Amino acid sequence: MPIAGTTSVEPARSAPRSGSGAFPTPAAGRRYRIVLTGLIVLSAAFALGLLAWDNPMPIGTDGFWRIAQMRATDVVVMAVVALCQAVATVSFQTVTNNRIITPSIMGFESLYTAVQTSAVYFLGIAGIVALQGVPQFMLQIVLMVALSLLLYGWLLSGRYGSLPVMLLIGIVVGGGLGSVSAFMQRLLTPSEFDVLTARLFGNVSNADPAYLPVAIPLCVLAAGALWLRARRLNVMALGRDISMGMGLRHRGETMQVLFLVSVLMAVSTALVGPMVFLGFLVATLAYQAADTYDHRRILPVAVLLAFVVLSGAYFVMRHIFYAQGVVSIIIELVGGCVFLFVILRKGRL
């Protein structure tokens, strides 16, 4: 009972919990766990569907497992591409502090197209055969990474090192390689051009199982290194000035991240061919789904989304429309539409 001459004071209501955690509210954390669980379930469902759906042999027989083992190669290739594209794109957008541009801007796809076109132009259809094999696969990776390191080392370590200038020169280099490739393609015979065109579309069937013992370790090591740098990526996302003020060697960290991104993109492109908008699509969706700044949470969501997009698209197109060869075209179309939507919504790059 209140004392005379005083006013009763009600207990203050507890304020919403705030802190420096990865999520702004407990509800956001629960939402993230639900999204992550759903993506894991979808990934497992699509993987099992690709292995077992429309398998003519009874489940559990030797014939069933042999067919499933043959299909497992495609699933592993999708997992490698998903890991490469997702981790590379998210990391690249962090160090460039721009969620629009992707590693493709550095000309990886243009270099791949130039290598494939040059082989057919100078060697004929036999050039495609000459490019097959583990040594040739490793050579393509080395060429792509070497071009990136040359570009990074020249533009970022010099006196007037500038990331925007590096990106612009990457566009020019990619456009130049594309023009040279287009010129050589016009001089090919119809049969040579037909064979070449099949190689220039990103397709899981382009991957040779013999490449996987090389591609998987490179992919895991590069992605693992970026995962271990997740806390530094969180700081770099704040911008150059703030990260340097917090004691981070911004230029050195940028060089190391871009090198690891180059390895991932080179492996993916040399393995299956160009996937221009896949990384942008899954990175954009991952930012919305994760709803956090923490790269330790964003990267797993991005990888799972990439695998769900790839495996889901292949499952639908292969077993429903029987047109698995156009999967990459549909992914690029959807990714391009999302890119235009984001550009129009933001109004800037």
Side-chain angles (χ1 to χ4, degrees), residues 286-308:
Y287 295 135
Q288 301 298 321
D291 192 22
T292 178
Y293 68 90
D294 192 353
H295 285 74
R296 292 175 300 172
R297 271 79 174 183
I298 297 174
L299 290 175
V301 171
V303 172
L304 289 171
L305 273 170
F307 184 78
V308 168

Side-chain angles (χ1 to χ4, degrees), residues 34-35 56 75 80 104 112 126 170 209 214 217 292 333:
I34 293 174
V35 169
V75 176
V80 171
S104 300
Y112 173 85
V214 176
T292 178
L333 176 62

Side-chain angles (χ1 to χ4, degrees), residues 53 114 230 314:
W53 189 272
Y314 268 87

